[in-house]
Structure formats: C-alpha cells, structure tokens
Amino acid sequence: MKLWVGIDDTDSPQGMCTTYLAVLIIKELEERGLSITGFPRLIRLNPTIPFKTRGNGAVSFMVESDSYDVVKDVVDSVIRRNAMLDHDSTNPGAVFVNPDDDAAIDSLFRFSQRALKEIVMIDEAKSAIKEHKIEYLEYKTGRGLIGALAAVGIHLNDFTLEKIAYRSPERFGTEREIDEEAFYTADLQTYPDTWDTVDWHNRVVVSVPNSPDPVLFGIRGDNISAIDEAFGMIESEPFDFQMTFVTNQGTDMHLIDESEVRELKNYHSYILKGEVVKKPFIEEGGHVFFFIRTRFGVVKCSAFEPTKQFRNIITELVEDDLLKVYGSMKKDTVNLEKIHILKLADILVEENPLCPSCGKRMESAGKNQGFRCRKCKTKSYEKVIRKLKREIEEGFYEVPPCARRHISKPLVRMDVENKHIFR
Ligand code: ATP
C-alpha cells in the first residue's frame, strides 16, 4: 500500500529545516525496510505568509508501507527529537493520506491552490482532515497541518529540482566552509540547466544560506544531470548526506492573474496590467516606488533596495508606459518580482529647428518671429518635435538572483521573447 506523508512547520529562525527533518524520516523509514517512491517534494506555499520562518516550504513524499502506524511512529519520533518545539512559532503538523482516496486527493488539490495563493485558517485544515478521515499528528497549535496538507494535495504540472547537501549536526550554527569560486565555476559549466547558483553582478553565492539551519548548499535547476554535475564540482566542508527534491520553486505558482479576481488584497500575489501614472521616485534607503493605473484603480508598486540593479530599470519608466507587473501585495503595495514592458511611451521634446543649409541648430529670431540661422540667414517658423531614445526596451525584466523568491519563476525558465536576464 502506498501512503502520502506531508510535514511542515518544524523549524525556527534559530535552526532546523523541514527538508532536513523529512530526510531524517525518510532515512529511518528506509532503515526499517520501507521504500520511498520517487523524489520527495519541497513545496513552497504563499510567500507572503507572516508567520513563515523563511521561504514557507513544506515537504511531502510517498512511502510504500502496509501499516500507517509504523510510518506515523517514525514521523512522530523524528519530529519530537528534532523539531524546534520550544520555539513559540514552531507548530509542527504531519498528515498521512491514501493516494487512492480520490475525494481526499481532489479536495487537497483545491486546498493546495488556496495555500499557494491565499491565507488559509487552521480550522479549514482541521475540517478537511475530519471530512476525509485523514490520519495526522499535530504539535502545539498544529499550524503546520496547513502546509502538510497542501504539500500532499498539490499537482506539479510545472516543477524544478533542487539537490541539497546537509551539514553534520556538530557544525550547525557555525560558519559554512565552502569554496565560493567553485559555485561560480559550476554555474559557468551548467547554466542554464542549473540557475540561481550565484549572482555574478552582485557577487553573491545564492545557493548557500546564511541562516543557522542544516542546509550547506542547494543546486537548483531543470536537468538532473546538470544539477549532479554542478553539485559534484562544489568544494566544501564534508557533509552528512544529500537529497534531491522535486519542487515548485521557480514556477510562479503563487501568482494570481488579474482576470481571476474582482479586488486586490494584501498577502496575495498578482500579475497586473497597468499604465505608469508618473515617473518613479526614490525614497530614503534606495527604495523605488511608482503608481500604475489598473482595472482596480491606481496601485502602488515597489522595487526595494535589495532588488539592486532592477531598480535602474524601474527608474527609467515614465508616464504612460504600459506594463504587466508580477509581485506580492503587502501594505497595499505590489513588491515587484518582475515586469513585462508591453509598450514604451514616446518621450517627445520640442526643439528649435536645424538650419537646412549648415545643419546647426537655429536660434530664436525674437518673440513670434520664428527661428533663424545667423550664419546662413535661413528662416523657419515651426519648432521641431524629437522623440528621445529610451534607455530600456519592451520585454521582460526581473530582479537579480540575490533578490529572487524561491517560488518566483526566473526568466531563464520562461519561454517568452525579449528577456532581459540579470545574472
Ligand atoms: P522553511 O522554509 O525553513 O521550512 P518556513 O518558511 O517554511 O520555513 P514554517 O516554519 O514552515 O516556515 O511556517 C510556515 C507556516 O505557515 C506553517 O505552519 C504552514 O502550515 C503555514 N502556512 C503555509 N501556507 C499557508 C497559507 N497559505 N495560509 C496560512 N498558513 C500557511
């Protein structure tokens, strides 16, 4: 018999990581002779959730077992031994779902869509559990049940892969020993089949976390042999083990198209079309803001300081540029992840005409007297209108890898024209 296991909310900013804990569970299940079907899944949910630790990730995997009890016992003991249960905001949850229960799987699919795009209440998770008689484990408030159910219910029509190396426990919280240059070489060798390993422009190794969790580094991409190749090129401290996850990282599954909604809400992420109202402005700290006119009214958009050179694109926007913006709404402002410039407005300037004889710019001949060339004595009565060259082009622009959200789709994965990739 096969069984889906979903787990979430085992970590805290002080340590641990739900993927690590899931791998500990998988190892223990395998030691007991049970086999895991395929890769485990690392599922990123609504990235705006206020109580997330970091990237709002949950994990699910499928195990072959004749008994729910054995699997539940292993999951329970690994969570009790490893989860950051003393931390206020760590509220683990685990669920065990029969993949042949079509009604449960359908309902969890719908639940997962909401967990990706909206805010879900713990009561809704508990009523789904009750309605479909789902086996579960909860600790403290059990808020992790939300992510655990969603990680089981999600369909990965689009997916990517991440291969993660985990540190030995005695090194948790210490500085990671890694050869940074090896990540740049690995990127050169395997991009675009791997991506977001490093940020060349900002000189950041983005595949190595800064937090005290057990992850040493993770290589992301679309092609497993390229990921393995890049992974094999990394020089680092010895690590305990590694695991490849199938994931919805880099898929934009959190985004809601404007055609699907009647109003915009905070803690939701959108694709919105609109015209720039007036030139963007820069505020203290280097954050850039502007407004667009959309079918919902005027909406504020932001490119915060960490989005680095993306802000240089935004500051080039002018009134009437037509855009699609991609990003999450918080404090009534869309925090941009990328933009699609659909139509650049013309910037027209009036100038004195050029002399048809010598080509020099004419000067005013006096009030209402038109223009003249002092040297050639030519005359003209009309100003000329010139279209200024724009420093940006129509097409897609995105934040650089160092500012990318786990779930955001990098342009390198998008099959679109006119991509401007920051690497
Ligand atoms: P990490 O990425 O390191 O595993 P995290 O950022 O995933 O950490 P969690 O500790 O898992 O953070 O906390 C996220 C919490 O939010 C979990 O309890 C999860 O069940 C819950 N959650 C996830 N998505 C939603 C949602 N859409 N609505 C409400 N709660 C959610």
Side-chain angles (χ1 to χ4, degrees):
M1 164 176 97
K2 283 193 182 352
L3 181 62
W4 270 119
V5 180
I7 314 162
D8 197 11
D9 209 343
T10 61
D11 53 8
S12 80
Q14 278 74 52
M16 201 33 63
C17 164
T18 301
T19 70
Y20 177 78
L21 201 129
V23 181
L24 294 182
I25 293 171
I26 288 171
K27 283 157 69 83
E28 204 159 320
L29 290 170
E30 285 176 337
E31 274 161 24
R32 293 191 184 206
L34 304 183
S35 58
I36 307 297
T37 308
F39 291 123
R41 311 195 301 175
L42 161 55
I43 305 302
R44 300 289 179 178
L45 299 165
N46 185 343
T48 68
I49 289 299
F51 27 81
K52 67 181 179 176
T53 310
R54 279 175 296 268
N56 200 5
V59 175
S60 62
F61 60 86
M62 201 184 261
V63 58
E64 197 142 340
S65 169
D66 291 331
S67 141
Y68 273 59
D69 290 342
V70 174
V71 179
K72 264 179 102 171
D73 281 354
V74 170
V75 172
D76 182 48
S77 72
V78 174
I79 290 181
R80 284 186 194 284
R81 271 184 276 133
N82 296 281
M84 305 294 278
L85 288 164
D86 293 338
H87 195 273
D88 270 358
S89 64
T90 303
N91 297 286
V95 294
F96 308 85
V97 186
N98 175 1
D100 296 326
D101 182 344
D102 291 342
I105 295 291
D106 284 355
S107 141
L108 294 189
F109 168 67
R110 289 190 296 276
F111 185 88
S112 72
Q113 295 309 295
R114 297 199 42 233
L116 275 166
K117 298 177 179 182
E118 299 170 23
I119 303 236
V120 184
M121 297 297 145
I122 178 68
D123 292 352
E124 299 175 65
K126 290 195 175 161
S127 43
I129 285 175
K130 204 162 161 201
E131 185 184 342
H132 298 288
K133 299 189 179 58
I134 292 170
E135 301 264 346
Y136 68 101
L137 294 167
E138 64 175 328
Y139 308 81
K140 297 159 66 186
T141 73
R143 190 165 58 209
L145 290 171
I146 299 171
L149 289 171
V152 168
I154 198 168
H155 293 181
L156 294 180
N157 322 323
D158 184 16
F159 64 87
T160 64
L161 300 163
E162 177 165 2
K163 185 168 185 175
I164 303 179
Y166 294 100
R167 314 184 75 191
S168 359
E170 65 275 12
R171 290 183 187 259
F172 290 177
T174 64
E175 199 177 323
R176 290 169 175 84
E177 282 171 40
I178 49 148
D179 172 12
E180 295 212 339
E181 281 316 306
F183 289 87
Y184 289 92
T185 318
D187 181 79
L188 274 186
Q189 193 86 10
T190 58
Y191 181 91
D193 288 334
T194 65
W195 32 263
D196 287 0
T197 303
V198 292
D199 184 323
W200 286 87
H201 181 86
N202 297 298
R203 290 304 286 185
V204 183
V205 179
V206 285
S207 42
V208 177
N210 292 315
S211 45
D213 64 272
V215 173
L216 181 58
F217 65 88
I219 303 291
R220 297 174 180 193
D222 286 271
N223 174 317
I224 194 153
S225 19
I227 292 174
D228 284 342
E229 185 185 345
F231 192 95
M233 291 172 75
I234 304 307
E235 308 265 340
S236 71
E237 65 189 46
F239 47 85
D240 254 15
F241 46 82
Q242 66 215 39
M243 179 59 84
T244 302
F245 291 85
V246 178
T247 150
N248 66 340
Q249 290 172 160
T251 62
D252 273 352
M253 278 188 190
H254 61 314
L255 295 176
I256 305 169
D257 191 82
E258 61 174 13
S259 59
E260 294 168 35
V261 289
R262 293 222 191 106
E263 55 172 341
L264 303 179
K265 294 184 197 156
N266 283 320
Y267 303 113
H268 290 61
S269 308
Y270 297 104
I271 305 176
L272 288 177
K273 191 167 157 186
E275 286 131 17
V276 175
V277 174
K278 65 172 193 251
K279 233 187 135 27
F281 53 98
I282 306 174
E283 282 199 354
E284 206 183 316
H287 313 303
V288 181
F289 299 93
F290 64 101
F291 294 90
I292 53 171
R293 241 182 327 268
T294 72
R295 52 184 282 236
F296 309 96
V298 171
V299 175
K300 190 174 183 186
C301 300
S302 63
F304 284 100
E305 190 282 332
T307 63
K308 303 293 174 199
Q309 70 268 41
F310 178 66
R311 295 169 302 159
N312 301 339
I313 306 303
I314 300 301
T315 49
E316 287 296 327
L317 293 171
V318 298
E319 186 180 337
D320 291 340
D321 281 343
L322 180 64
L323 315 176
K324 264 190 182 176
V325 298
Y326 297 64
S328 297
M329 185 159 238
K330 271 192 168 177
K331 296 188 181 160
D332 297 325
T333 303
V334 176
N335 301 340
L336 298 178
E337 292 162 18
K338 55 185 167 258
I339 58 168
H340 180 192
I341 305 179
L342 299 166
K343 180 102 187 70
L344 285 174
D346 290 338
I347 308 179
L348 303 174
V349 286
E350 277 196 342
E351 289 175 338
N352 293 0
L354 298 176
C355 167
S357 174
C358 71
K360 289 229 171 74
R361 197 157 302 282
M362 291 173 143
E363 59 185 33
S364 169
K367 200 165 178 221
N368 299 328
Q369 302 287 302
F371 307 91
R372 64 169 183 205
C373 174
R374 195 188 285 260
K375 192 167 134 231
C376 311
K377 308 289 181 236
T378 50
K379 283 209 85 176
S380 173
Y381 292 92
E382 298 290 323
K383 278 211 169 200
V384 290
I385 292 182
R386 188 162 66 91
K387 198 165 123 182
L388 285 189
K389 184 175 169 294
R390 300 289 305 267
E391 295 301 321
I392 49 176
E393 301 171 340
E394 289 165 5
F396 287 83
Y397 292 87
E398 64 183 352
V399 301
C402 67
R404 185 130 42 235
R405 282 194 148 146
H406 300 292
I407 198 166
S408 294
K409 195 172 191 168
L411 288 180
V412 65
R413 293 199 72 240
M414 286 178 70
D415 187 14
V416 291
E417 304 266 295
N418 300 329
K419 300 191 264 195
H420 302 80
I421 293 177
F422 287 134
R423 214 177 138 197

mmCIF file of all heavy atoms in Angstrom, residues 186-206:
data_model
loop_
_atom_site.group_PDB
_atom_site.id
_atom_site.type_symbol
_atom_site.label_atom_id
_atom_site.label_comp_id
_atom_site.label_asym_id
_atom_site.label_seq_id
_atom_site.Cartn_x
_atom_site.Cartn_y
_atom_site.Cartn_z
ATOM 1 N N ALA A 186 30.888 26.168 -11.336
ATOM 2 C CA ALA A 186 29.784 25.226 -11.580
ATOM 3 C C ALA A 186 28.679 25.918 -12.381
ATOM 4 O O ALA A 186 28.079 25.326 -13.281
ATOM 5 C CB ALA A 186 29.247 24.709 -10.252
ATOM 6 N N ASP A 187 28.434 27.180 -12.065
ATOM 7 C CA ASP A 187 27.399 27.932 -12.787
ATOM 8 C C ASP A 187 27.792 28.095 -14.259
ATOM 9 O O ASP A 187 26.975 27.881 -15.163
ATOM 10 C CB ASP A 187 27.208 29.300 -12.124
ATOM 11 C CG ASP A 187 26.129 30.119 -12.805
ATOM 12 O OD1 ASP A 187 24.940 29.858 -12.555
ATOM 13 O OD2 ASP A 187 26.471 31.006 -13.609
ATOM 14 N N LEU A 188 29.065 28.456 -14.481
ATOM 15 C CA LEU A 188 29.535 28.637 -15.863
ATOM 16 C C LEU A 188 29.352 27.363 -16.668
ATOM 17 O O LEU A 188 28.975 27.378 -17.827
ATOM 18 C CB LEU A 188 31.032 28.978 -15.858
ATOM 19 C CG LEU A 188 31.421 30.435 -15.705
ATOM 20 C CD1 LEU A 188 32.932 30.573 -15.882
ATOM 21 C CD2 LEU A 188 30.709 31.314 -16.733
ATOM 22 N N GLN A 189 29.610 26.251 -15.994
ATOM 23 C CA GLN A 189 29.601 24.955 -16.670
ATOM 24 C C GLN A 189 28.185 24.451 -16.955
ATOM 25 O O GLN A 189 27.960 23.783 -17.944
ATOM 26 C CB GLN A 189 30.313 23.955 -15.735
ATOM 27 C CG GLN A 189 30.692 22.657 -16.347
ATOM 28 C CD GLN A 189 32.047 22.776 -17.032
ATOM 29 O OE1 GLN A 189 32.754 23.777 -16.885
ATOM 30 N NE2 GLN A 189 32.382 21.773 -17.808
ATOM 31 N N THR A 190 27.216 24.787 -16.094
ATOM 32 C CA THR A 190 25.919 24.094 -16.179
ATOM 33 C C THR A 190 24.717 25.009 -16.433
ATOM 34 O O THR A 190 23.626 24.507 -16.690
ATOM 35 C CB THR A 190 25.660 23.286 -14.881
ATOM 36 O OG1 THR A 190 25.704 24.186 -13.775
ATOM 37 C CG2 THR A 190 26.677 22.192 -14.694
ATOM 38 N N TYR A 191 24.872 26.335 -16.324
ATOM 39 C CA TYR A 191 23.778 27.262 -16.633
ATOM 40 C C TYR A 191 23.481 27.144 -18.123
ATOM 41 O O TYR A 191 24.420 27.019 -18.909
ATOM 42 C CB TYR A 191 24.237 28.696 -16.292
ATOM 43 C CG TYR A 191 23.218 29.772 -16.531
ATOM 44 C CD1 TYR A 191 22.354 30.157 -15.526
ATOM 45 C CD2 TYR A 191 23.119 30.392 -17.779
ATOM 46 C CE1 TYR A 191 21.413 31.163 -15.746
ATOM 47 C CE2 TYR A 191 22.178 31.389 -17.995
ATOM 48 C CZ TYR A 191 21.338 31.768 -16.979
ATOM 49 O OH TYR A 191 20.403 32.741 -17.192
ATOM 50 N N PRO A 192 22.248 27.173 -18.606
ATOM 51 C CA PRO A 192 21.006 27.447 -17.891
ATOM 52 C C PRO A 192 20.262 26.213 -17.382
ATOM 53 O O PRO A 192 19.126 26.341 -16.938
ATOM 54 C CB PRO A 192 20.169 28.144 -18.969
ATOM 55 C CG PRO A 192 20.602 27.483 -20.245
ATOM 56 C CD PRO A 192 22.044 27.120 -20.066
ATOM 57 N N ASP A 193 20.900 25.016 -17.454
ATOM 58 C CA ASP A 193 20.209 23.832 -16.913
ATOM 59 C C ASP A 193 20.162 23.886 -15.395
ATOM 60 O O ASP A 193 19.349 23.228 -14.749
ATOM 61 C CB ASP A 193 20.921 22.551 -17.366
ATOM 62 C CG ASP A 193 20.686 22.293 -18.844
ATOM 63 O OD1 ASP A 193 19.645 22.753 -19.363
ATOM 64 O OD2 ASP A 193 21.540 21.654 -19.485
ATOM 65 N N THR A 194 21.110 24.618 -14.787
ATOM 66 C CA THR A 194 21.006 24.991 -13.376
ATOM 67 C C THR A 194 20.877 26.505 -13.371
ATOM 68 O O THR A 194 21.298 27.165 -14.334
ATOM 69 C CB THR A 194 22.253 24.606 -12.561
ATOM 70 O OG1 THR A 194 23.353 25.377 -13.067
ATOM 71 C CG2 THR A 194 22.574 23.129 -12.673
ATOM 72 N N TRP A 195 20.294 27.067 -12.341
ATOM 73 C CA TRP A 195 20.159 28.531 -12.272
ATOM 74 C C TRP A 195 20.104 28.945 -10.810
ATOM 75 O O TRP A 195 19.893 28.121 -9.928
ATOM 76 C CB TRP A 195 18.917 29.031 -13.029
ATOM 77 C CG TRP A 195 17.765 28.087 -13.011
ATOM 78 C CD1 TRP A 195 17.439 27.184 -13.986
ATOM 79 C CD2 TRP A 195 16.817 27.894 -11.949
ATOM 80 N NE1 TRP A 195 16.346 26.458 -13.591
ATOM 81 C CE2 TRP A 195 15.940 26.879 -12.357
ATOM 82 C CE3 TRP A 195 16.617 28.477 -10.700
ATOM 83 C CZ2 TRP A 195 14.885 26.423 -11.562
ATOM 84 C CZ3 TRP A 195 15.580 28.032 -9.903
ATOM 85 C CH2 TRP A 195 14.722 27.014 -10.342
ATOM 86 N N ASP A 196 20.306 30.241 -10.596
ATOM 87 C CA ASP A 196 20.283 30.801 -9.236
ATOM 88 C C ASP A 196 21.276 30.109 -8.298
ATOM 89 O O ASP A 196 21.025 29.941 -7.104
ATOM 90 C CB ASP A 196 18.861 30.785 -8.652
ATOM 91 C CG ASP A 196 17.982 31.851 -9.300
ATOM 92 O OD1 ASP A 196 18.486 32.583 -10.180
ATOM 93 O OD2 ASP A 196 16.804 31.963 -8.924
ATOM 94 N N THR A 197 22.421 29.719 -8.862
ATOM 95 C CA THR A 197 23.504 29.196 -8.017
ATOM 96 C C THR A 197 24.284 30.381 -7.454
ATOM 97 O O THR A 197 24.597 30.414 -6.260
ATOM 98 C CB THR A 197 24.446 28.293 -8.860
ATOM 99 O OG1 THR A 197 23.650 27.257 -9.445
ATOM 100 C CG2 THR A 197 25.540 27.684 -8.023
ATOM 101 N N VAL A 198 24.596 31.328 -8.346
ATOM 102 C CA VAL A 198 25.333 32.530 -7.928
ATOM 103 C C VAL A 198 24.699 33.758 -8.573
ATOM 104 O O VAL A 198 23.967 33.635 -9.546
ATOM 105 C CB VAL A 198 26.819 32.472 -8.374
ATOM 106 C CG1 VAL A 198 27.572 31.391 -7.639
ATOM 107 C CG2 VAL A 198 26.940 32.282 -9.884
ATOM 108 N N ASP A 199 25.020 34.917 -8.015
ATOM 109 C CA ASP A 199 24.642 36.186 -8.631
ATOM 110 C C ASP A 199 25.956 36.853 -9.014
ATOM 111 O O ASP A 199 26.688 37.349 -8.148
ATOM 112 C CB ASP A 199 23.851 37.027 -7.607
ATOM 113 C CG ASP A 199 23.341 38.328 -8.187
ATOM 114 O OD1 ASP A 199 24.066 38.932 -8.997
ATOM 115 O OD2 ASP A 199 22.229 38.745 -7.811
ATOM 116 N N TRP A 200 26.268 36.812 -10.301
ATOM 117 C CA TRP A 200 27.567 37.324 -10.773
ATOM 118 C C TRP A 200 27.707 38.810 -10.518
ATOM 119 O O TRP A 200 28.736 39.269 -10.023
ATOM 120 C CB TRP A 200 27.714 37.066 -12.286
ATOM 121 C CG TRP A 200 27.981 35.638 -12.606
ATOM 122 C CD1 TRP A 200 27.043 34.660 -12.807
ATOM 123 C CD2 TRP A 200 29.257 34.997 -12.733
ATOM 124 N NE1 TRP A 200 27.647 33.461 -13.061
ATOM 125 C CE2 TRP A 200 29.012 33.635 -13.038
ATOM 126 C CE3 TRP A 200 30.574 35.432 -12.640
ATOM 127 C CZ2 TRP A 200 30.043 32.716 -13.240
ATOM 128 C CZ3 TRP A 200 31.596 34.518 -12.845
ATOM 129 C CH2 TRP A 200 31.329 33.178 -13.131
ATOM 130 N N HIS A 201 26.688 39.561 -10.875
ATOM 131 C CA HIS A 201 26.782 41.014 -10.801
ATOM 132 C C HIS A 201 26.969 41.484 -9.356
ATOM 133 O O HIS A 201 27.792 42.344 -9.065
ATOM 134 C CB HIS A 201 25.524 41.635 -11.400
ATOM 135 C CG HIS A 201 25.517 43.120 -11.391
ATOM 136 N ND1 HIS A 201 26.083 43.866 -12.397
ATOM 137 C CD2 HIS A 201 25.038 44.007 -10.485
ATOM 138 C CE1 HIS A 201 25.940 45.140 -12.116
ATOM 139 N NE2 HIS A 201 25.308 45.256 -10.953
ATOM 140 N N ASN A 202 26.188 40.884 -8.452
ATOM 141 C CA ASN A 202 26.258 41.316 -7.043
ATOM 142 C C ASN A 202 27.240 40.479 -6.220
ATOM 143 O O ASN A 202 27.333 40.666 -5.005
ATOM 144 C CB ASN A 202 24.854 41.275 -6.428
ATOM 145 C CG ASN A 202 23.921 42.258 -7.117
ATOM 146 O OD1 ASN A 202 24.150 43.460 -7.090
ATOM 147 N ND2 ASN A 202 22.893 41.749 -7.783
ATOM 148 N N ARG A 203 27.938 39.549 -6.877
ATOM 149 C CA ARG A 203 28.923 38.665 -6.222
ATOM 150 C C ARG A 203 28.345 38.013 -4.953
ATOM 151 O O ARG A 203 28.885 38.148 -3.849
ATOM 152 C CB ARG A 203 30.216 39.421 -5.864
ATOM 153 C CG ARG A 203 31.061 39.830 -7.038
ATOM 154 C CD ARG A 203 31.473 38.736 -7.964
ATOM 155 N NE ARG A 203 32.505 37.825 -7.494
ATOM 156 C CZ ARG A 203 33.030 36.871 -8.270
ATOM 157 N NH1 ARG A 203 32.628 36.691 -9.509
ATOM 158 N NH2 ARG A 203 33.957 36.061 -7.781
ATOM 159 N N VAL A 204 27.243 37.296 -5.132
ATOM 160 C CA VAL A 204 26.642 36.565 -4.002
ATOM 161 C C VAL A 204 26.461 35.112 -4.424
ATOM 162 O O VAL A 204 25.944 34.837 -5.510
ATOM 163 C CB VAL A 204 25.248 37.136 -3.624
ATOM 164 C CG1 VAL A 204 24.682 36.406 -2.407
ATOM 165 C CG2 VAL A 204 25.301 38.632 -3.366
ATOM 166 N N VAL A 205 26.892 34.193 -3.549
ATOM 167 C CA VAL A 205 26.615 32.774 -3.800
ATOM 168 C C VAL A 205 25.231 32.501 -3.229
ATOM 169 O O VAL A 205 25.071 32.307 -2.023
ATOM 170 C CB VAL A 205 27.699 31.877 -3.145
ATOM 171 C CG1 VAL A 205 27.395 30.407 -3.397
ATOM 172 C CG2 VAL A 205 29.076 32.229 -3.682
ATOM 173 N N VAL A 206 24.223 32.505 -4.082
ATOM 174 C CA VAL A 206 22.855 32.450 -3.563
ATOM 175 C C VAL A 206 22.426 31.034 -3.168
ATOM 176 O O VAL A 206 21.427 30.861 -2.485
ATOM 177 C CB VAL A 206 21.817 33.058 -4.545
ATOM 178 C CG1 VAL A 206 21.884 34.549 -4.545
ATOM 179 C CG2 VAL A 206 21.961 32.522 -5.942
#
